Amino acid sequence: MDFSELFKLSGLLGRFSPDGKCLASCVQFRLVVRDASTLQVLQLYTCLDQIQYIEWSSDSLFILCAMYKRGIVQVWSLEQPDWHCKIDEGSAGLVASCWSPDGRHILNTTEFHLRITVWSLCTKSVSYIKYPKACQQGIAFTKDGRYMAVAERRDCKDFISIFVCSDWQLLRHFDTETQDLFGIEWAPNGCVLAAWDTCLEYKILLYSLDGRLLSTYRAYEWSLGIKSIAWSPSSQFLAIGSYDEKVRILNHVTWKKITEFEHPATIANTKTIVYKEVEKSPSVETERLSLPPTRALASSLFSTHSKYNIPNAVWIWDIQKLKLFVVLEQLCAVQSFQWDPRQPRLAVCTGNSKVYLWSPAGCVAVQVPLEARAQTNSCSLTNCSVSAGDFQIVSLSWHASGDSMALLGKDNFCMCYLEREEIK
Amino acid sequence: MGDWKTITVPVLSSDSKNIFQYTSEKKISPSSMNSQVLRLPLPSSKTMHGFFSAFCTEENIEQSISYLDRELTTLGFPSIYAESKGKELNLISIINCMNELLVLQHKNLRAQEEIELQHLKLGSDMEHLQNCYAKLKEQLELSKREIVGLQERDRQLQSKNRNLHQLLKNEKDEVQKLQNIISSRATQYNHDMKRKEREYNKLKERLHQLVMNKKDKKIAMEVLNYVGRADGKRGAWRTDKTEARNEEEMYKVLLSDYEQRQKQLLVENAELKKVLQQMKKEIISLLPPQKQKPKERSEDGPVLSDLEEDIGELNKENMWELSCETVREQLTNSIRKQWRMLKNHVEKLDNQVSRVRSGALNEKDVISREDHELETEKLELEIQQCKEMIRTQQQLLQQQLMSPCDDDTTLILQDCYLLEERERLQEEWRLFREQKKNFEKERRSFTEAAIRLGLERKAFEEDRGTWLKQQFLSMSTDCKHSENVTAPSAFLGSSDQDNRLAISTSQQRKPHHMLSVPVSAESCQTTQYLTHNSSSAASKTPAGDSKPNQGVESDKEAVE
């Protein structure tokens, strides 16, 4: 494993381009685009204010930079550095901004979630979506980018609208039987939409693409409910993580629970492997789920991170056998983890300067080598004098090829290049 | 006895003193008698004497005697007088009376002793009882006190219990109250929430209006130039058509997804059915033939056979492609039945095995084992024999190969073999040589033909060239020329075309000047000359015979 030197970063805004060629990072109000393998600076753009959010367009030709305070979104082109585009929301304010799947429209959510404005980069048309819901995941695009589902709330009732992304035509509009819709997510096959209720009520609704309610699932009443969900890459399973420290898995044929996984503080089964970081430490809270990508063989693992009670552990479950496979116990609270896009390999970071990698072959913890040196480059962006221990990895993101990943800290980031292992 | 009164009668003997004492003591209460009883020593002679003299003195002898007599007779003793009247004392009767009195006294003493003993015993018993009584009284007192104490405690506990019950009730009531409060508050909050949300919505509307109304330059997008669409196409207007198309596409997506899923399920289904079929077949094969066990099968027999027949038929018809309920049920039912039978069979086998192990002789098995062993032995013998044969043969072979030409017989033998072989070989050689010759001939002819062809081609090309030139010239000049030119060629060509066609393979369009017919016959025999003069050979064939081919004429001469 090789590590690059540290570069400056602000706001944890380090993103790989979808085609894997470039890496965009933000330093205050500047956007730096580097080559993904050599980390050479390809482009440098200056925005009007501190950047709060960046996103690549799907074809990797444009980047949008959102500045919420000023209510401005600036779009930069990689092909033509001279090209510029500025969207000013003015008095409407800006709360969120994202690309449409075709990479030619920008959806801005105005302040107070008054409306979502769809700005087009091809035409002079502007569309508005009224009454969007102010929830965690209010907008969801299908994987193929054809349809967009938006959560809305009118007259104290929740609705979902499905739009066709090609011409922004409203396809379906239906109400949901939720108290307070919390989030929506498409299945990877684009035919089923999962909508779940606020955490005060455990309820998840599954809608077909044409708006029919396929099924409802309630595990229990009264206690706190769903925290997060994750679809399996083949759309066959839906994993629901809840506040009662359990993960329930539904299958796509009957939408009934196949199994539930518990996250006890002590593991009784002797077949699970527990990787512990040198010292042990207990602790407490809820769950985040993520499923790895499928290969030719069936997807076999997904990991859950239990926060309410054990924020130091990452639990890896084997879906083929439906049982707990591995538990990784860390010293500090796990900040984030992500699956390798190509192989069953998990990278975990816990807020110190180590990165942890797990694969079915074993587990390894690597300390990022830090050198306190001043760069001789003229570009001030690459100047970085950091002493060991200052670099705290808070988030990480894999490159699309699975060969490298970006480790993001509060003020810096660095790239980690992995050796190509033989693909099993 | 009645009260004995104290009589101041003088006492006569020591005995009367006792009596006196005794009588005086009769009045005393029984309790004091106890204490007095013990004081019963034999009276001392002195006191006795004193008392004795008190009853009878010299003055009242007769009175005392008569008194005594009276007393004795009342007691039942005979009179002490000699006769009924008289003053003479019967000494014998007096002595008898005295004896009787003594005996009586002894008896009385004994009785007294006994009574005193009893008295003592009773006294001690009484004491004992009194003690017990006292103790019991104490115990009673104690237990009474205890009871009182316990009662007190019981009362206290009961009161505590009541208090606690009361408290519990109070708490429950409170809880109920609180729950009511909570629910009412929850509804209240919900109402409030709804109200606030409506207010908020109103605010949003207002704000929205404001924002929309302003329409200031602020809300705008500045672009250097508009970018083309990602897919390169132009944007389309939104019409009903597009709506319909979108709907269609959506349904297509859904349908394709469903179809895919259905396909997967079908494939899975088919695989599972195949597996079931295989299992069924294997189970059937594992089960012993039906003849041996008619009893068991009698019940299932006809049913099974029917089922199996049906299923057999269905199998032939590719049952697994049918998916109706009844077929599925049949398959699963038949498998279940057969599995049950297999299970029974296996259980029976297990029982048999266990029986054998436990020592019970089952002749069948024993014999079969023996047979099996015999067979194996036989086979082993056979194997050994074969091996030996192979070895001997090998040896023989080696001997034959290795043995030098020592013996004549072997030599002759070898020679015989060799002769045969030699003759054979020679024949083969002959054949081979003939074939070689033939091949060579053919090869030669082929080469000649090839050379001929080449020359022909060359000539033809030249011919063509000249002909074209002629044509061109004729066309560009007069028609006559062309006629003159063509006529002879045409004429010539027609007469000889038949021949040419018969002989040459690759015939060109234009007619060639032909040699006479005999030439054609000669061409076949040209092989002899070919080797010498390639050009001549080519020319002999009915190739182009026009002027350029001078060689033709020369060879013509040679031929003729």
Side-chain angles (χ1 to χ4, degrees):
Chain A
M1 249 198 279
D2 290 323
F3 288 93
S4 73
E5 51 215 20
L6 289 177
F7 300 102
K8 275 216 178 136
L9 184 78
S10 65
L12 291 177
L13 294 170
R15 304 251 189 284
F16 283 107
S17 66
D19 62 358
K21 287 190 199 158
C22 311
L23 169 68
S25 59
C26 286
V27 185
Q28 300 298 327
F29 53 90
R30 288 210 203 106
L31 176 70
V32 185
V33 180
R34 297 168 194 275
D35 181 77
S37 41
T38 64
L39 289 182
Q40 220 183 11
V41 176
L42 295 173
Q43 304 277 5
L44 180 61
Y45 304 104
T46 310
C47 296
L48 297 166
D49 193 14
Q50 187 169 29
I51 306 172
Q52 260 114 19
Y53 180 70
I54 62 169
E55 189 177 328
W56 285 89
S57 69
S58 53
D59 52 5
S60 307
L61 291 176
F62 298 97
I63 308 179
L64 74 77
C65 304
M67 289 141 267
Y68 296 146
K69 281 187 216 159
R70 290 265 300 258
I72 297 177
V73 173
Q74 281 186 281
V75 188
W76 304 102
S77 160
L78 276 139
E79 283 181 314
Q80 299 176 343
D82 303 328
W83 189 89
H84 62 85
C85 169
K86 183 179 83 170
I87 302 172
D88 192 342
E89 288 287 344
S91 44
L94 188 64
V95 172
S97 179
C98 66
W99 281 102
S100 70
D102 63 358
R104 293 290 179 272
H105 295 83
I106 294 177
L107 287 93
N108 282 348
T109 312
T110 58
E111 215 164 352
F112 303 120
H113 284 83
L114 271 183
R115 62 166 188 241
I116 297 179
T117 322
V118 184
W119 299 95
S120 167
L121 292 177
C122 326
T123 67
K124 293 186 187 176
S125 62
V126 182
S127 314
Y128 297 103
I129 301 175
K130 279 179 92 175
Y131 309 112
K133 181 122 199 233
C135 57
Q136 205 183 50
Q137 268 174 260
I139 307 178
F141 292 102
T142 57
K143 202 168 166 190
D144 54 9
R146 272 211 196 149
Y147 302 102
M148 170 176 83
V150 179
E152 297 177 8
R153 192 166 175 96
R154 295 165 204 244
D155 298 328
C156 311
K157 270 177 44 170
D158 293 317
F159 295 89
I160 292 182
S161 298
I162 300 184
F163 293 91
V164 183
C165 289
S166 49
D167 51 7
W168 304 111
Q169 205 168 50
L170 176 66
L171 192 65
R172 284 285 186 277
H173 180 80
F174 50 92
D175 67 336
T176 64
E177 298 157 11
T178 52
Q179 289 276 350
D180 188 7
L181 186 59
F182 197 65
I184 53 178
E185 192 170 323
W186 286 100
N189 66 1
C191 296
V192 181
L193 179 69
W196 63 97
D197 211 341
T198 173
C199 61
L200 292 175
E201 221 183 293
Y202 194 127
K203 198 186 212 182
I204 183 160
L205 300 153
L206 292 143
Y207 290 97
S208 158
L209 176 59
D210 57 348
R212 286 175 299 128
L213 175 64
L214 291 173
S215 164
T216 331
Y217 178 69
R218 297 188 81 162
Y220 49 78
E221 282 188 279
W222 303 124
S223 296
L224 288 182
I226 303 176
K227 179 144 211 281
S228 72
I229 71 161
W231 285 96
S232 81
S234 59
S235 310
Q236 281 176 332
F237 303 109
L238 175 62
I240 307 172
S242 50
Y243 281 85
D244 65 343
E245 293 176 36
K246 286 194 197 165
V247 175
R248 289 176 179 79
I249 303 198
L250 312 181
N251 78 324
H252 74 306
V253 179
T254 59
W255 300 114
K256 294 253 184 336
K257 178 180 83 168
I258 324 178
T259 177
E260 58 183 47
F261 294 138
E262 279 191 16
H263 297 74
T266 54
I267 304 163
N269 191 347
T270 50
K271 281 193 188 164
T272 56
I273 309 169
V274 178
Y275 290 100
K276 280 193 201 153
E277 214 190 332
V278 178
E279 301 142 40
K280 221 177 95 163
S281 63
S283 56
V284 188
E285 202 124 352
T286 62
E287 305 177 344
R288 247 190 296 147
L289 304 173
S290 67
L291 280 162
T294 27
R295 289 192 294 152
L297 317 167
S299 71
S300 59
L301 305 164
F302 82 103
S303 60
T304 66
H305 165 214
S306 176
K307 246 191 185 167
Y308 257 137
N309 280 324
I310 314 163
N312 290 7
V314 178
W315 305 65
I316 302 181
W317 303 86
D318 187 333
I319 292 294
Q320 277 180 330
K321 298 179 196 162
L322 285 181
K323 60 171 190 189
L324 182 58
F325 194 46
V326 166
V327 175
L328 306 172
E329 222 179 295
Q330 311 290 133
L331 270 180
C332 323
V334 174
Q335 295 289 336
S336 93
F337 56 86
Q338 207 181 26
W339 284 103
D340 182 333
R342 294 282 171 88
Q343 312 173 32
R345 191 159 56 162
L346 185 69
V348 181
C349 66
T350 64
N352 51 15
S353 55
K354 283 192 203 168
V355 65
Y356 307 90
L357 277 174
W358 175 86
S359 74
C363 193
V364 74
V366 185
Q367 169 85 31
V368 176
L370 300 167
E371 292 163 8
R373 55 178 163 134
Q375 299 287 318
T376 49
N377 289 354
S378 55
C379 183
S380 60
L381 291 165
T382 57
N383 250 347
C384 156
S385 52
V386 176
S387 56
D390 271 6
F391 184 42
Q392 290 166 334
I393 308 175
V394 175
S395 160
L396 47 82
S397 131
W398 283 95
H399 188 257
S401 68
D403 286 337
S404 57
M405 62 179 165
L407 308 169
L408 311 173
K410 267 197 294 183
D411 299 318
N412 314 89
F413 81 96
C414 84
M415 284 281 288
C416 165
Y417 297 94
L418 298 149
E419 283 164 9
R420 251 220 165 205
E421 287 173 20
E422 286 173 6
I423 304 167
K424 290 176 192 172
Chain B
M1 283 204 191
D3 267 345
W4 291 74
K5 292 177 191 167
T6 49
I7 308 165
T8 51
V9 174
V11 182
L12 282 171
S13 60
S14 55
D15 290 323
S16 56
K17 196 171 187 206
N18 264 340
I19 295 168
F20 181 66
Q21 263 193 327
Y22 212 32
T23 55
S24 62
E25 284 170 12
K26 281 282 180 191
K27 280 191 195 170
I28 306 166
S29 66
S31 57
S32 52
M33 258 187 36
N34 285 331
S35 46
Q36 301 253 350
V37 163
L38 293 168
R39 269 194 286 113
L40 216 65
L42 281 166
S44 60
S45 55
K46 274 191 192 171
T47 46
M48 283 290 237
H49 199 65
F51 276 118
F52 288 145
S53 59
F55 176 62
C56 181
T57 54
E58 290 163 359
E59 292 100 44
N60 56 355
I61 292 177
E62 284 186 16
Q63 279 170 355
S64 43
I65 292 173
S66 62
Y67 172 72
L68 279 176
D69 184 51
R70 250 189 285 137
E71 290 294 321
L72 284 167
T73 49
T74 50
L75 281 174
F77 290 107
S79 149
I80 52 175
Y81 287 128
E83 286 152 24
S84 49
K85 279 197 181 173
K87 287 204 191 157
E88 281 185 14
L89 292 172
N90 190 355
L91 192 66
I92 295 166
S93 67
I94 290 169
I95 293 166
N96 283 336
C97 290
M98 271 176 69
N99 187 38
E100 289 292 331
L101 282 167
L102 277 169
V103 165
L104 205 66
Q105 171 74 353
H106 283 307
K107 259 198 241 169
N108 286 341
L109 274 173
R110 254 180 270 136
Q112 197 186 9
E113 270 179 35
E114 278 178 30
I115 287 171
E116 275 170 5
L117 261 171
Q118 254 189 6
H119 188 75
L120 274 170
K121 270 191 212 161
L122 285 171
S124 67
D125 277 345
M126 189 99 115
E127 263 184 50
H128 178 69
L129 283 171
Q130 275 182 347
N131 286 339
C132 286
Y133 174 67
K135 273 190 214 155
L136 284 171
K137 240 180 142 175
E138 274 176 42
Q139 272 184 13
L140 186 65
E141 282 299 306
L142 269 168
S143 37
K144 272 195 190 159
R145 259 179 263 144
E146 256 187 64
I147 282 170
V148 166
L150 286 170
Q151 275 181 346
E152 193 53 45
R153 224 194 324 157
D154 181 45
R155 237 177 284 135
Q156 281 178 358
L157 286 171
Q158 276 204 1
S159 66
K160 245 201 221 172
N161 198 16
R162 252 178 279 132
N163 288 346
L164 285 171
H165 270 294
Q166 196 61 39
L167 278 172
L168 184 66
K169 236 208 279 180
N170 293 346
E171 290 296 322
K172 276 193 186 165
D173 289 338
E174 252 192 73
V175 164
Q176 193 63 39
K177 245 194 284 171
L178 285 171
Q179 276 187 345
N180 290 341
I181 290 171
I182 286 176
S183 57
S184 62
R185 283 178 94 177
T187 50
Q188 186 64 33
Y189 286 145
N190 281 342
H191 284 143
D192 273 345
M193 270 275 282
K194 292 247 168 83
R195 201 165 16 105
K196 289 237 162 73
E197 203 177 331
R198 272 185 221 114
E199 238 185 86
Y200 171 64
N201 280 341
K202 276 189 222 155
L203 270 172
K204 267 170 70 162
E205 291 286 344
R206 184 92 183 92
L207 193 60
H208 194 238
Q209 277 173 23
L210 278 171
V211 163
M212 291 300 281
N213 282 343
K214 271 204 174 170
K215 290 226 174 187
D216 50 350
K217 300 169 198 168
K218 281 193 185 176
I219 304 177
M221 182 170 94
E222 291 172 24
V223 184
L224 184 65
N225 55 291
Y226 283 102
V227 182
R229 276 167 64 102
D231 49 6
K233 294 183 200 160
R234 285 202 209 139
W237 291 105
R238 238 191 265 173
T239 57
D240 289 336
K241 245 194 198 174
T242 54
E243 267 189 48
R245 210 185 338 127
N246 285 334
E247 290 261 348
E248 236 187 80
E249 276 194 37
M250 176 186 82
Y251 282 122
K252 266 191 217 166
V253 166
L254 276 173
L255 273 174
S256 64
D257 181 60
Y258 282 130
E259 271 172 21
Q260 204 194 24
R261 260 198 256 168
Q262 205 206 11
K263 263 187 228 165
Q264 280 177 1
L265 287 169
L266 274 175
V267 164
E268 233 188 277
N269 232 9
E271 275 186 36
L272 289 170
K273 273 190 188 158
K274 258 192 237 167
V275 168
L276 280 176
Q277 290 274 343
Q278 274 180 8
M279 267 177 64
K280 209 182 74 166
K281 278 186 205 153
E282 280 172 23
I283 290 173
I284 292 172
S285 67
L286 278 174
L287 289 171
Q290 290 194 9
K291 289 176 196 170
Q292 285 184 7
K293 294 174 188 177
K295 279 187 192 174
E296 288 178 47
R297 307 292 187 92
S298 60
E299 308 157 4
D300 308 326
V303 179
L304 251 186
S305 56
D306 282 344
L307 265 177
E308 286 198 25
E309 280 173 17
D310 290 339
I311 289 167
E313 286 174 11
L314 287 168
N315 278 340
K316 294 167 196 167
E317 296 168 8
N318 288 350
M319 186 177 96
W320 50 82
E321 286 177 19
L322 301 170
S323 61
C324 54
E325 283 274 335
T326 46
V327 169
R328 244 184 292 146
E329 275 179 27
Q330 276 176 7
L331 177 60
T332 48
N333 286 340
S334 70
I335 283 185
R336 267 193 218 125
K337 274 192 193 147
Q338 272 150 20
W339 180 253
R340 240 182 288 143
M341 285 197 286
L342 182 69
K343 230 181 31 171
N344 292 338
H345 184 62
V346 169
E347 276 167 18
K348 271 197 200 117
L349 285 174
D350 275 341
N351 291 340
Q352 280 183 7
V353 167
S354 58
R355 256 185 278 140
V356 166
R357 279 199 197 139
S358 63
L361 269 177
N362 197 344
E363 291 190 357
K364 246 194 193 178
D365 291 342
V366 172
I367 285 172
S368 64
R369 214 183 296 141
E370 281 182 4
D371 282 344
H372 177 73
E373 280 174 10
L374 279 169
E375 276 205 49
T376 46
E377 279 179 24
K378 263 191 253 165
L379 287 168
E380 275 173 17
L381 273 170
E382 272 190 53
I383 288 168
Q384 278 198 356
Q385 282 171 8
C386 293
K387 275 189 191 165
E388 281 180 30
M389 267 177 58
I390 291 168
R391 245 179 275 147
T392 48
Q393 285 196 353
Q394 265 190 346
Q395 281 177 6
L396 282 169
L397 249 176
Q398 277 193 358
Q399 273 179 13
Q400 286 204 339
L401 288 170
M402 294 277 284
S403 60
C405 315
D406 294 334
D407 298 331
D408 292 336
T409 47
T410 51
L411 261 174
I412 290 165
L413 279 172
Q414 280 182 0
D415 269 345
C416 294
Y417 292 136
L418 283 172
L419 264 174
E420 269 191 53
E421 281 198 42
R422 220 179 285 156
E423 280 176 23
R424 240 185 290 143
L425 271 172
Q426 279 181 354
E427 274 193 45
E428 281 180 15
W429 267 106
R430 228 184 297 138
L431 278 169
F432 177 63
R433 266 186 227 127
E434 278 183 35
Q435 278 184 10
K436 204 171 156 188
K437 274 185 217 161
N438 290 338
F439 283 142
E440 287 221 339
K441 275 187 215 164
E442 280 182 36
R443 206 203 315 162
R444 255 182 254 148
S445 63
F446 283 140
T447 46
E448 282 166 20
I451 295 163
R452 242 184 288 145
L453 251 176
L455 285 172
E456 257 184 65
R457 213 178 286 152
K458 239 200 272 175
F460 167 67
E461 288 292 320
E462 286 167 11
D463 230 16
R464 188 157 65 124
T466 49
W467 188 79
L468 279 172
K469 263 193 240 163
Q470 281 179 9
Q471 279 283 17
F472 180 64
L473 286 167
S474 61
M475 279 202 308
S476 57
T477 54
D478 297 333
C479 300
K480 276 188 189 173
H481 280 282
S482 63
E483 279 179 1
N484 285 336
V485 171
T486 50
S489 60
F491 180 71
L492 273 171
S494 61
S495 63
D496 297 316
Q497 249 182 12
D498 294 331
N499 291 331
R500 195 172 302 125
L501 281 170
I503 295 161
S504 62
T505 52
S506 54
Q507 191 53 255
Q508 282 82 20
R509 283 170 267 137
K510 298 176 219 90
H512 291 268
H513 296 295
M514 277 278 297
L515 299 167
S516 52
V517 171
V519 177
S520 60
E522 279 176 352
S523 65
C524 296
Q525 292 168 9
T526 49
T527 49
Q528 298 167 16
Y529 301 97
L530 270 175
T531 46
H532 305 291
N533 206 344
S534 56
S535 57
S536 58
S539 59
K540 278 184 183 111
T541 57
D545 296 31
S546 53
K547 303 173 262 175
N549 284 352
Q550 287 180 1
V552 177
E553 291 167 56
S554 61
D555 282 326
K556 250 204 258 181
E557 291 167 5
V559 167
E560 287 160 3

